[in-house]
Amino acid sequence: MDARDTPPGSSSWRPGLWWRMTRPAFLLLTVVACALGTATASACGCGLDLPLAIGTTALAVMAHAAGNVLNDLHDARSGADAGNTGGLFPFTGGSRLIQNGETSERETADLARALLLLLVPGGLLLAVKAGGGVIGLGLAGLLLVWAYSAPPLKLMSRGLGELTVALAWFLVVLGADFVQRRQFFVIPASVALNFAAMVAALLLINGVPDAAADARVGKRTLAVRLGPTGAWALYTALTLGAHAWLAASVWLLIPPVPALGGLVSLPLSLFASGWLFHHRHQTVRLRPALATTVAATLLHGLGMAAGFAWLGWNH
C-alpha cells in the first residue's frame, strides 16, 4: 500500500491537520471579499444584519477551503506538486502535506467532499433568510470551485485559471452584498470587478515559480503559456487596470468617492511588478513580489471596504 491508499492516522480526529490542508492564510482573501460586499450594502443604507454577514463569510470561506483542498488533490494526482522543487512555499506549490507524507490523497478527497457537503444545508438556510438569488450565486461558485481543478474541465490547466478565480471572487463580493441588500446592484458589481482583477493577478504571479514543474506534467497554466515576460506584462495590466477602473468608476459616479481607499494598494502593485520584471528569469528570487502581491490584494479590498463602511457608519 502507498500513501494514496492508506491515509496516515485517518481514523483519528485531526482538526489541526485538516485546517492546514485548507491553506488558511489564503482564506483571508475571501474574508476581505465578504467584508467588501457587506460594506457596499451598508453604505447604501441597507443596514447591517451581522448574523447573516457572519454566515455568508463562513460559507464563502468554506467554499474557498474546499477549492484549495481539491487543488492539492488534483495537483498530487497529476504529479505537478511532487515534481515541483522550485516552488516558493507557502505561496506556490500547494500545501505540500501529501508530498511530505502528513496526509494522503484519500484523506484529502474526503475532506474536500465533507466541505462541499456542509455547504449544501448552509447555503439553503442562507437562501431562506436572504432570497433565492443566493442559490444561483452559490451554485455558480461551486461550479467554478470544481471546474478549476477537477477533470474533465481542469480550467487551471487550460490557461483559464485566472479567469475562473476572477469570476469566483466577483461572485463572492456580489453575493455578500446581495445577502444584505436582497437584490443585485451596480455598485458592488463595479468594485467586485477590480478586486477580481487583483485576485487574478495574484494567481498569475504565483504560477510563475511553478511554471517549469507545471509544464512537465502538461499543466498549461497561463504562466506556462505566456512565459515569464508575458506573465509580467499581463500581471502589470491586471493590477494597473484594477486601480485604473476603480478611479474611473468613481469618476463615472458608480461607487462613491471613499471607495478610492482601495488605491492604497497601488504602490505595492507597482513594486511587485518591477520586482517580477527584474527577476522573471530567476524565480527563486520572486518571494518579495509574491508577498507584496498578497498584501496589495488584501489592502485593495480592505481600503474600499473601509471607505464604504465609513459611509455606512455616517449614513
Side-chain angles (χ1 to χ4, degrees), residues 3 5-14 17-18 102-104 106-108 110:
D5 296 318
T6 308
S10 59
S11 61
S12 61
W13 175 254
R14 305 200 294 166
L17 175 64
W18 298 336
E102 295 184 59
T103 188
S104 69
R106 178 183 295 178
E107 188 172 16
T108 303
D110 287 343

Side-chain angles (χ1 to χ4, degrees), residues 59-309:
L59 288 172
V61 167
M62 194 179 299
H64 184 183
N68 286 347
V69 176
L70 280 172
N71 182 243
D72 268 2
L73 173 64
H74 291 292
D75 277 350
R77 288 177 173 173
S78 71
D81 282 350
N84 188 354
T85 58
L88 300 178
F89 184 82
F91 302 103
T92 74
S95 70
R96 312 300 299 171
L97 295 172
I98 297 175
Q99 291 71 38
N100 295 338
E102 295 184 59
T103 188
S104 69
E105 290 182 18
R106 178 183 295 178
E107 188 172 16
T108 303
D110 287 343
L111 177 58
R113 190 178 301 112
L115 289 169
L116 291 171
L117 287 175
L118 285 172
L119 284 169
V120 175
L124 291 175
L125 179 59
L126 189 63
V128 169
K129 297 290 186 180
V134 170
I135 295 178
L137 290 168
L139 289 175
L142 288 177
L143 176 61
L144 293 171
V145 165
W146 169 78
Y148 176 77
S149 300
L153 295 182
K154 296 190 295 184
L155 296 178
M156 65 178 180
S157 299
R158 304 178 190 275
L160 296 173
E162 285 74 12
L163 177 60
T164 303
V165 301
L167 288 172
W169 267 272
F170 178 89
L171 291 177
V172 171
V173 176
L174 201 63
D177 178 273
F178 180 91
V179 167
Q180 301 290 324
R181 193 190 300 271
R182 308 293 202 273
Q183 62 181 332
F184 296 108
F185 197 59
V186 65
I187 291 177
S190 176
V191 297
L193 188 62
N194 43 279
F195 184 75
M198 293 291 287
V199 176
L202 172 59
L203 181 64
L204 177 61
I205 195 173
N206 281 0
V208 174
D210 292 343
D214 288 341
R216 285 194 292 270
V217 298
K219 184 179 174 183
R220 301 278 295 166
T221 65
L222 208 50
V224 172
R225 293 168 184 267
L226 295 176
T229 302
W232 163 78
L234 181 57
Y235 173 87
T236 303
L238 285 169
T239 53
L240 293 184
H243 292 88
W245 169 246
L246 175 57
S249 63
V250 170
W251 180 75
L252 291 169
L253 304 178
I254 303 175
V257 171
L260 290 174
L263 295 179
V264 69
S265 57
L266 181 57
L268 295 179
S269 291
L270 292 173
F271 169 82
S273 174
W275 193 278
L276 174 60
F277 179 78
H278 287 294
H279 301 290
R280 64 193 186 280
H281 298 298
Q282 302 168 300
T283 57
V284 70
R285 301 188 63 181
L286 287 180
R287 189 178 295 274
L290 302 181
T292 303
T293 300
V294 173
T297 307
L298 294 173
L299 280 175
H300 190 69
L302 287 172
M304 291 188 291
F308 281 110

